[in-house]
Amino acid sequence: MENKKIAIFDAKESILISSLLDGAVEASDFRLSIGHFSKTKVTNLFRDSFPKFSSGVKSKITDVFIRYFFSNNMIDANEFWRFVDFRNFWAELRTFHDVFYSRSMILSDVIKFFEQTLFQTKSRLNLNFLQKKIIEKLGKNPSSLYKQLAEDLSISEKKVSLTLKHLNSRGIYIGSLISYKSLNLHEFFSFNRSKGFGENAVIIDRLLLFPKLYITHGIMARKKHGPSFYYVKEKKMYFNPDILNKGLSIQDWKKHSLTKQKNSSDSVTSTKLKTVSSEKQPYLSQLLRNCELDFKRPDIKTIAESHDVSARTLFRVKSSLIDDKIVQPNMVVETPDLLQVLLVSKSELVELYNKVPYIRTYQIYDDFGDTSWLSYLSIFMPDFKYIYTRLSRHAEVFQVIRRQIKDLSIDIDLPTLSHANRKTYTNK
C-alpha cells in the first residue's frame, strides 16, 4: 500500500512537470504548486525528462531549474539563466529536446537556438494552450463535433465555440477541399485581367501577387478555351498542426522528426460522376463555396432564400456530398500573421507537404495538355528567403499581396490578406 502511495505521489509530480514543459501551466503557478513537494524528487524528475541531452547541457538546465523555482542563490547563473524570464522558455526547452537537439551539438549551438527562437518572435504565433490543443485535434480530425472536443478537453461547448470563433477571425478555420470535377464543374485559373469569363463562370477569388501578377480562380459549367485558361486536374491540401503550434522553421529540414500528416485530396472513391442539371448548378456552386470557407456552418438560410430551395434539401445535398467525399473538411491557415506564397512549378513540390504550416496544391493543364503545378503556402516570414533561394531556380516564387474572395453569400469573419506594407525582398 505504501509503495502505491509513493507511485501516485511521483505521478502527480511528473504530471506537473509535464504541464510546465507543455506550456499548460505558467511558471509562476508551477512555483506555487511544487511548494509541498520534495525538492530532491522534483529536481530528479525534471532532470530525467531530458534523456537526450548531454550530461553538460542537462546539468546546466537542471541548475537553472533549481535556482529559478527553489530560489537557491548558491548556484551560479549560467548561459541559460537569461532565457528563463521568457514566457515560452520551458515549453521551448521540451520542443528543442524532442525535435531539434542532437548529440553533435556543442553548447554554443544550443544557446544559439534559444537566442533565435526566443528573441526573434516573427516565427511564432501568439496562440494560447487551449487554442493549440483545439488546432491539434482538428488537424487530426477536422470533422470533430464541438461536443467531442469539449469532452476531450474538459471544457464547455461554448468555450470551444468561442475559441474557434477567435481562430476564425485570425484566418485559421475549418474549411473544405471541394472536388468540383466530380460534379462536372470545371475549376480553372486564368491570368486574364478582363471580366468577360461568361455567364456560366463563378469567380472564387482573385489573387494579386508580387512581383506584379494577377490571377483569377473560379469554376465553370462549360469549359472556355484560350491561352490564359488553365484547368485543375488534381488538387491536394495539407495542414501540419505541430509546425504551426511550435513555429518550426524549414530552414533546416533535416532536423524535422515529425510524422507525416494525412492529407486531403480531391480523389473520389465513387467511379460514377455526379450529374448536375443547369437549374441546380447556381445553388449548388454557392453551397460548395460556403462549405469551402465554413464546413461546419455554411449559410444555408441565405442560399435557400436566394434560390427558392428548401433548407432541408440543402442539408440533404450537403450530407450526400460529404458521404461521397466531394466535400472534405480540412483546417485552413490563411492568417495575416503568416506570409502567403504562390509557387508555379513544372513538377509537384512534395518536399514541402510536411514542412510548412499549410499548403494546397493544384495540378493544372492548358489547351495543349501541358501540365504544371500551383502551390499556395502559408509560411513563417523568416522562411521566405530560404524557400526563394532553394526553389527559385526551378519554380516561380510569388508573394500573395492580396486575396479577394468573390461570390459569397456567407458573412464569414476572415481577415483580409494584405502584405502590401511588408514585402519581402531577397537576393538569390
Side-chain angles (χ1 to χ4, degrees):
M1 180 64 70
E2 185 65 25
N3 290 336
K4 186 174 182 181
K5 287 183 179 179
I6 293 175
I8 294 174
F9 194 64
D10 287 348
K12 289 181 179 178
E13 294 167 325
S14 297
I15 291 171
L16 187 60
I17 290 172
S18 293
S19 297
L20 173 70
L21 299 178
D22 286 336
V25 63
E26 299 287 345
S28 57
D29 294 332
F30 178 85
R31 182 182 287 109
L32 293 174
S33 300
I34 63 172
H36 62 285
F37 290 145
S38 163
K39 172 183 172 181
T40 301
K41 191 173 294 184
V42 171
T43 300
N44 290 340
L45 288 171
F46 173 81
R47 183 195 60 215
D48 294 343
S49 299
F50 304 103
K52 288 170 57 178
F53 280 161
S54 66
S55 59
V57 172
K58 189 184 299 185
S59 174
K60 288 179 178 293
I61 290 293
T62 305
D63 284 349
V64 168
F65 177 82
I66 296 172
R67 179 175 177 180
Y68 188 73
F69 289 110
F70 292 99
S71 300
N72 191 335
N73 294 321
M74 298 299 293
I75 298 176
D76 294 332
N78 60 44
E79 295 89 342
F80 296 103
W81 181 251
R82 59 196 168 107
F83 299 125
V84 295
D85 284 334
F86 283 86
R87 179 180 178 183
N88 297 327
F89 170 67
W90 301 104
E92 291 292 350
L93 183 62
R94 168 166 280 177
T95 298
F96 171 68
H97 172 271
D98 294 346
V99 179
F100 295 101
Y101 179 76
S102 68
R103 287 272 182 172
S104 62
M105 288 183 175
I106 59 177
L107 182 61
S108 61
D109 295 329
V110 178
I111 297 299
K112 185 177 180 180
F113 171 85
F114 289 103
E115 287 177 340
Q116 294 178 339
T117 301
L118 298 176
F119 293 154
Q120 299 176 6
T121 58
K122 288 184 178 180
S123 62
R124 295 292 184 273
L125 294 185
N126 185 22
L127 298 171
N128 62 38
F129 176 73
L130 180 57
Q131 290 168 342
K132 289 181 179 180
K133 293 303 291 185
I134 288 179
I135 286 172
E136 178 184 337
K137 288 186 174 296
L138 290 176
K140 295 176 181 177
N141 184 14
S143 60
S144 297
L145 299 176
Y146 289 5
K147 181 179 180 180
Q148 185 61 53
L149 290 172
E151 290 178 357
D152 292 346
L153 298 171
S154 300
I155 58 176
S156 66
E157 290 186 49
K158 183 177 180 180
K159 186 68 174 177
V160 172
S161 179
L162 289 175
T163 302
L164 286 173
K165 184 176 181 180
H166 178 73
L167 290 173
N168 285 350
S169 69
R170 296 184 61 179
I172 304 172
Y173 60 96
I174 311 172
S176 303
L177 183 73
I178 308 294
S179 180
Y180 291 106
K181 66 180 182 180
S182 301
L183 295 168
N184 294 330
L185 296 172
H186 305 285
E187 187 174 5
F188 71 91
F189 288 90
S190 175
F191 300 93
N192 188 350
R193 289 183 61 92
S194 70
K195 298 181 180 180
F197 292 106
E199 295 182 358
N200 70 328
V202 176
I203 304 304
I204 293 177
D205 53 24
R206 289 190 172 97
L207 300 176
L208 177 62
L209 308 179
F210 174 83
K212 189 176 181 181
L213 186 63
Y214 194 80
I215 296 180
T216 299
H217 179 205
I219 54 175
M220 289 183 177
R222 295 180 298 278
K223 281 186 178 180
K224 185 173 183 178
H225 298 282
S228 66
F229 284 92
Y230 296 81
Y231 291 95
V232 175
K233 182 177 182 180
E234 178 186 3
K235 61 182 178 180
K236 302 175 182 179
M237 189 180 294
Y238 288 81
F239 170 63
N240 296 298
D242 282 342
I243 292 176
L244 180 72
N245 284 341
K246 297 177 181 178
L248 298 181
S249 170
I250 62 174
Q251 295 187 49
D252 189 352
W253 292 352
K254 294 181 181 179
K255 296 290 174 64
H256 285 259
S257 59
L258 302 172
T259 56
K260 188 172 182 179
Q261 295 294 323
K262 183 179 180 181
N263 80 94
S264 296
S265 68
D266 69 345
S267 59
V268 181
T269 54
S270 175
T271 57
K272 183 177 180 181
L273 294 178
K274 299 285 183 178
T275 57
V276 182
S277 60
S278 58
E279 65 269 17
K280 288 183 179 180
Q281 191 269 329
Y283 83 69
L284 184 62
S285 61
Q286 200 167 358
L287 175 63
L288 293 172
R289 281 298 292 143
N290 273 252
C291 290
E292 198 162 13
L293 290 167
D294 192 339
F295 172 77
K296 293 285 188 181
R297 297 175 179 174
D299 193 354
I300 296 292
K301 181 179 179 181
T302 300
I303 300 172
E305 292 174 351
S306 300
H307 298 282
D308 193 24
V309 60
S310 71
R312 178 175 294 183
T313 296
L314 291 174
F315 278 118
R316 188 169 62 248
V317 170
K318 180 191 173 186
S319 296
S320 176
L321 294 173
I322 294 172
D323 290 342
D324 290 334
K325 298 187 182 301
I326 294 171
V327 173
Q328 300 181 60
N330 206 82
M331 287 295 290
V332 178
V333 180
E334 295 181 310
T335 171
D337 297 327
L338 300 182
L339 189 69
Q340 278 67 46
V341 177
L342 186 76
L343 305 179
V344 183
S345 57
K346 292 302 293 182
S347 58
E348 185 178 6
L349 302 176
V350 294
E351 67 269 25
L352 291 176
Y353 289 164
N354 197 38
K355 296 178 176 65
V356 296
Y358 173 77
I359 180 173
R360 61 176 180 266
T361 63
Y362 305 84
Q363 185 182 29
I364 57 176
Y365 63 95
D366 59 17
D367 280 349
F368 302 101
D370 294 331
T371 62
S372 55
W373 289 82
L374 296 182
S375 301
Y376 183 98
L377 292 71
S378 289
I379 61 173
F380 296 106
M381 289 188 66
D383 285 330
F384 178 80
K385 183 175 182 179
Y386 184 75
I387 283 184
Y388 186 85
T389 303
R390 185 180 178 94
L391 298 178
S392 60
R393 292 184 178 181
H394 56 274
E396 295 181 83
V397 183
F398 303 93
Q399 293 178 61
V400 179
I401 303 301
R402 184 172 64 253
R403 179 185 176 212
Q404 297 175 320
I405 299 175
K406 299 292 184 179
D407 190 57
L408 292 180
S409 64
I410 188 169
D411 185 21
I412 189 168
D413 188 15
L414 289 179
T416 301
L417 294 180
S418 179
H419 306 288
N421 296 325
R422 53 172 179 155
K423 297 186 182 74
T424 305
Y425 299 90
T426 64
N427 294 318
K428 288 188 180 181

